[in-house]
Amino acid sequence: MHTNATRSTPEATWPHFELRHLEPALGAEVLGLDLSQPVSDAVFTDIERAWHAHGLLLFREQSIDDLQQVAFAARFGELAHTLKPYEGAKVHPALMFVTNEKKDGHYVGALPDGEMYFHSDMCYREYPLSASMLYAMALPPAGGNTVFAGMYAAYEALPSELAQQIEGRLAMNSYEPGYGASNVRMRIETPATEHTLSFAHPVVRTHPAGGRKALYVNRLMTEYIVGIARSESDALLKTLFEHQEQPRFQYEHRWQLGDLLVWDNRCTLHARRDFPPTHLRKMRRVAVRGERPV
Ligand code: OGA
Ligand code: MN
């Protein structure tokens, strides 16, 4: 006789909210939670489980202030203080705005420019970010989507010869302060300087929760693969970037005001589409310090 005993209903799996998949490779929307209210341990345990399963969670129609966002982000781990004293740091050292807003002729936040290539946040540091959380406060009428790419799926789809070639390798990830979104152009056109922040991490990293392997290189910040000739490294990275940026691994987010997105930098990449500089785009950002990649 047919039995559905092993088939879990959404309610049985997620008793505290509804979960809707965004794309097979990554992403899920959480429905039915108001993040301006404290989140109980039981609910958070399920949020974290869903986050680990999908790499990216979306909560729509949220109405939260600075410190409510800080409090929710802190549930994911130790907050990462921002590297520069942006305007948000007056409220909390982990708060910043990703925005093209200007006051007295100066940008008040980070990453103001339009397009940003695929990357994983702070992969050029010894302890990169685990979670990054953006909350949409002002949006241009068009453009500025954020595209996410699932690096478990990308790793698992690698041809076996390619997987063997990168097995056990480290890659140098670098960031030139001040170049921001156009860092990649700098990386190609000029050599690293004494101000460059760099750190070598495994090309394939293992997630501490669950032990799945993810591809951990990216077009914006990965400079070269350690221990092989530069020409060979350039060719290998080109192949890896093209592979990991295939649309079948992606979810493209079209922002609405009040959206809150939290992604896992250990198993996803993200990129930003261009948008007109004449329109205000403002995201409130809080992030969490991760472990050293292995
Ligand atoms: C970031 C980032 C993308 C965006 O905050 O790390 O890459 O869409 N933001 O603004
Ligand atoms: Mn980023």
Side-chain angles (χ1 to χ4, degrees):
M1 200 184 92
H2 177 76
T3 170
N4 66 1
T6 55
R7 207 187 71 199
S8 56
T9 64
E11 293 72 26
T13 314
W14 310 106
H16 303 290
F17 44 76
E18 192 188 325
L19 200 71
R20 230 180 258 164
H21 296 198
L22 295 170
E23 290 289 348
L26 85 164
E29 180 179 356
V30 177
L31 296 106
L33 290 185
D34 175 359
L35 299 176
S36 69
Q37 302 301 312
V39 172
S40 72
D41 289 346
V43 173
F44 187 73
T45 300
D46 272 5
I47 291 175
E48 197 176 35
R49 197 156 58 84
W51 186 60
H52 285 148
H54 297 281
L56 158 83
L57 293 182
L58 164 66
F59 305 79
R60 286 214 195 263
E61 293 180 0
Q62 298 297 319
S63 176
I64 53 168
D65 65 21
D66 294 350
L67 292 178
Q68 286 166 337
Q69 184 173 346
V70 168
F72 184 50
R75 302 300 296 269
F76 289 81
E78 183 194 335
L79 293 178
H81 290 190
T82 61
L83 299 183
K84 287 199 236 164
Y86 296 113
E87 194 182 76
K90 290 178 205 150
V91 177
H92 189 281
L95 193 79
M96 72 179 203
F97 296 97
V98 169
T99 184
N100 53 1
E101 183 181 358
K102 280 186 176 174
K103 279 187 190 152
D104 308 321
H106 298 284
Y107 288 122
V108 304
L111 311 173
D113 303 338
E115 188 188 6
M116 228 187 307
Y117 285 14
F118 275 103
H119 63 281
S120 176
D121 290 338
M122 288 176 63
C123 60
Y124 51 89
R125 309 272 292 196
E126 183 172 7
Y127 296 91
L129 301 182
S130 52
S132 298
M133 184 185 283
L134 287 184
Y135 175 71
M137 302 176 74
L139 295 169
N145 289 357
T146 308
V147 187
F148 294 87
M151 290 300 109
Y152 291 140
Y155 175 72
E156 286 156 14
L158 279 175
S160 58
E161 323 83 72
L162 205 49
Q164 274 163 26
Q165 254 182 295
I166 59 176
E167 171 83 31
R169 289 273 172 210
L170 297 177
M172 187 62 75
N173 298 293
S174 300
Y175 174 70
E176 185 87 358
Y179 280 87
S182 54
N183 189 39
V184 66
R185 268 155 246 153
M186 171 283 302
R187 184 172 67 72
I188 290 165
E189 285 160 18
T190 61
T193 70
E194 64 195 289
H195 303 294
T196 308
L197 294 163
S198 293
F199 210 89
H201 289 302
V203 173
V204 178
R205 71 179 290 187
T206 304
H207 200 288
R212 263 176 107 182
K213 287 182 172 182
L215 201 49
Y216 194 61
V217 291
N218 65 81
R219 192 182 293 276
L220 185 61
M221 299 184 203
T222 304
E223 225 185 315
Y224 59 87
I225 294 177
V226 178
I228 60 177
R230 186 60 187 248
S231 57
E232 198 188 326
S233 162
D234 287 351
L236 188 51
L237 284 177
K238 183 172 183 285
T239 305
L240 291 172
F241 297 156
E242 282 166 4
H243 171 81
Q244 71 185 170
E245 292 178 2
Q246 293 175 74
R248 63 177 165 139
F249 305 130
Q250 295 178 0
Y251 162 66
E252 175 157 358
H253 188 62
R254 289 181 58 193
W255 291 93
Q256 297 175 11
L257 293 178
D259 281 356
L260 183 130
L261 268 189
V262 54
W263 66 85
D264 189 337
N265 287 293
R266 299 167 293 192
C267 57
T268 67
L269 300 182
H270 56 285
R272 184 169 71 189
R273 301 238 189 250
D274 205 3
F275 59 94
T278 45
H279 282 95
L280 177 66
R281 185 180 190 270
K282 187 170 186 178
M283 309 296 203
R284 192 200 288 128
R285 184 186 198 266
V286 185
V288 175
R289 181 182 188 266
E291 53 287 304
R292 188 164 166 184
V294 289

